[in-house]
Amino acid sequence: MAGGFHGADVAQLRQLAATMRSAGRMLDGQRLAFNAGVAGTPWPGPDAERFRQDWKGSHSRSMGAAALFLDQAADALLRQANEQESASSAAGGSAVSGPSGGSSGTPSPGDIAGKSAPEVRDWWVSLSDAQHQDFIRDHPGAAGNTNGIPFDARVEANRLNAQERIVWLQAKDPEPEFNPWNMDSSYPVRFAAEHEAWRERQSGLAYLQRAVDGKIQLAAYDPGEQSIVELIGSYDEHTTSVITYVPGTTTNEASFYGGGPQQLANRFVEADKSGGTAAFVYKGSEFPDGDFVEAFLVEAKSDEFVADSAPVLRAFQDAVDLELPSVAQSVGMGHSWGLRNLTGAETEGAHFDKLIALSGAAMPPGWEPDPGTDYSSFTYPDILLTAEANGVVGENYPMKEPAFEKHVYEPPGGFEWTEAYSIDNHSLIATTDPWNEKAINDVRTELRDR
C-alpha cells in the first residue's frame, strides 16, 4: 500500500511486549539483589552511610523507574496489538495501521492513571465482563494492584502475576557463583549477602505456586514496589468484620512464605465460625529493613519514612472501604511499627471502627485519635515498651496515649526486670504461641464487641 502505513504483526507486537516485560522484571530483580547487597555489607562510617543513602535515594529508584518504563512500554505494545486486531477485524483483515489515540473498546492502564479508588471503581463498573477479562489478561500488573478494582478481580490477576514471577525465578534468576579469584577482602561478605538474597527469592516458589493454584489469595503482588497483600477468608456481602493487619519492622515478601505475618489473621478468621471475618495481611510498600541499626534505630523511628508509607496504606484502605458491607466493621491491627503505619494512615484520612495495637510503636507527629474509633493496646513487658517509656523511641505511644484501652500480660519469664528488655516478648504478642492464648482471646473479644 504505497503512501500508507502497513498494519503491524499482532503476534510480533505481543512477543515484543512479553520480551520488554521480562526485561523489566529482570532489571528489577537485579535491583532488589543489589539492595540486599548494599544493606548486608558490613561497611561502617560516614562514607558507607552516604553511599547507602545515595543508593537508596537515587540509584535504586532510577533502576526501578527504568523497570517501570519497560513494563509500561509492554502495556503500550499490548494496547497497540489489541487495537490492530480490532481494526483488522472491522476491515475484514486488511486494515491500515497508523498512530492511534486508543480505543474505547479496549481498556488500558492509561484509562485509570491518576484516578482515585472510587473513580477506578466507576470505570470498572462501566466495562463489560469481556472487557474485565481482557484487562486482567493483558494488564495483570495493573489489574492486580490498582485500588478500586474489585478484590476478586485483583486476586485473579495476581495469579497471573505470581505465575510470571515463577517463570522469572526459574529462568532468569540463576544462582550466584563464587569467584575464588576475586581478591577483594570484602568480596566474601558481599557474595554471602547476594547469595542469601537469591536463596530468599527462590524460597518463594512454593508459596507463589499456591497462589497460582488458588490456595492463597493475593490482593496485591508487585515485587518491584515491594508490595504483597494476602487476603484471608471471603470478603463479600456476608462479611461482618474486616481486619487490615499490618506486621512490623523487617517484614518482607519472604516473611510471608512461612506464614509468620499471617498467624493471627488466620486464627481470627478461622475462629469466626459464621465465616463473617476477613483479613488483609498488608505489606503494600517498603517497610523498615536492613541491619538492626538501620531498621530499628533509623527507619522505624523516622517520621519521613512513615510519611512515605502512610499514604499508600490509606489508599489501600480506601479500596477496602469501597467493598465494606454497611453492617460490617473495619478493624486496623498493627504489630510494632505496623501500628505506626496504621496511625500514619489515619493522619492521611483513613478511618477504622477499631484500631488494635500489638506492642505498638509510637504514633507519628500530628496524629490525633479519631472520635469514631475504639482504640485498644495489648502488650507484654518488652524492649520496645521500655525504650518508649525512657524516651529512646517515640513520644506518644499506645501505652501512654489516653485514647487506648490498655492490656498488659505476664510474660513467660514472669514480671522480672529482665523481661522489660526482652525481644522475644515483643514478638510473642503477634504469634499463636500457647502462652499468648490469653491475649488472643482478649483481642477476639474486642473484635466481637460491637
Side-chain angles (χ1 to χ4, degrees), residues 20 50 124 179 232 347:
M20 282 193 166
R50 190 178 306 111
W124 185 264
N179 178 8
I232 299 172
T347 67

Side-chain angles (χ1 to χ4, degrees), residues 78-381:
L78 281 173
R79 183 169 62 253
Q80 291 293 330
N82 290 335
E83 291 170 358
Q84 174 68 45
E85 195 169 55
S86 298
S88 296
S89 298
S94 59
V96 174
S97 176
S100 172
S103 168
S104 60
T106 307
S108 74
D111 298 332
I112 51 179
K115 286 184 168 59
S116 66
E119 290 170 336
V120 171
R121 177 55 53 88
D122 290 342
W123 169 82
W124 185 264
V125 169
S126 73
L127 302 179
S128 67
D129 289 343
Q131 288 173 314
H132 291 161
Q133 291 304 311
D134 287 345
F135 190 77
I136 291 170
R137 180 198 66 223
D138 293 340
H139 311 289
N145 296 283
T146 299
N147 294 317
I149 292 179
F151 284 109
D152 57 352
R154 290 176 65 162
V155 169
E156 183 179 352
N158 283 318
R159 293 175 69 177
L160 300 178
N161 292 327
Q163 180 60 57
E164 183 176 325
R165 183 65 170 173
I166 288 172
V167 171
W168 184 87
L169 288 168
Q170 291 177 332
K172 304 293 186 180
D173 189 31
E175 181 175 3
E177 294 185 4
F178 186 81
N179 178 8
W181 300 106
N182 191 325
M183 299 304 175
D184 181 351
S185 61
S186 65
Y187 171 69
V189 175
R190 294 201 315 274
F191 174 81
E194 181 183 354
H195 193 274
E196 175 60 22
W198 172 84
R199 187 206 60 77
E200 196 172 73
R201 291 193 300 272
Q202 292 290 317
S203 69
L205 286 168
Y207 177 89
L208 293 171
Q209 187 60 53
R210 293 181 67 201
V212 172
D213 295 340
K215 297 175 181 177
I216 289 173
Q217 303 176 95
L218 292 180
Y221 185 60
D222 186 349
E225 294 297 323
Q226 302 188 51
S227 173
I228 180 170
V229 180
E230 184 175 327
L231 169 59
I232 299 172
S234 299
Y235 190 37
D236 54 29
E237 68 275 13
H238 304 296
T239 299
T240 56
S241 184
V242 60
I243 302 167
T244 301
Y245 179 81
V246 186
T249 302
T250 71
T251 300
N252 58 17
E253 179 180 328
S255 304
F256 281 69
Y257 302 160
Q262 302 98 309
Q263 286 183 69
L264 285 183
N266 269 312
R267 177 68 175 274
F268 296 137
V269 170
E270 293 170 359
D272 185 353
K273 301 306 180 184
S274 73
T277 298
F280 292 96
V281 183
Y282 172 91
K283 184 194 174 299
S285 63
E286 181 185 5
F287 278 24
D289 59 6
D291 61 23
F292 179 86
V293 172
E294 181 182 12
F296 291 91
L297 301 183
V298 179
E299 292 183 341
K301 290 176 58 178
S302 169
D303 295 333
E304 291 76 16
F305 193 95
V306 76
D308 287 341
S309 65
V312 182
L313 175 51
R314 191 271 306 159
F316 178 81
Q317 193 61 34
D318 286 347
V320 174
D321 291 343
L322 278 174
E323 298 187 38
L324 187 70
S326 59
V327 298
Q329 66 173 350
S330 62
V331 179
M333 186 182 300
H335 174 231
S336 189
W337 182 84
L339 189 276
R340 187 163 166 79
N341 202 4
L342 283 165
T343 50
E346 283 190 300
T347 67
E348 295 290 330
H351 169 76
F352 303 93
D353 296 311
K354 293 179 179 176
L355 197 64
I356 297 173
L358 303 175
S359 190
M363 286 72 76
W367 176 86
E368 295 288 343
D370 184 336
T373 300
D374 293 330
Y375 296 90
S376 54
S377 177
F378 302 81
T379 189
Y380 293 94

Side-chain angles (χ1 to χ4, degrees), residues 4-25:
F5 292 94
H6 290 284
D9 186 305
V10 171
Q12 289 187 9
L13 282 178
R14 287 185 170 143
Q15 179 59 45
L16 180 57
T19 300
M20 282 193 166
R21 201 180 303 279
S22 177
R25 291 288 191 261

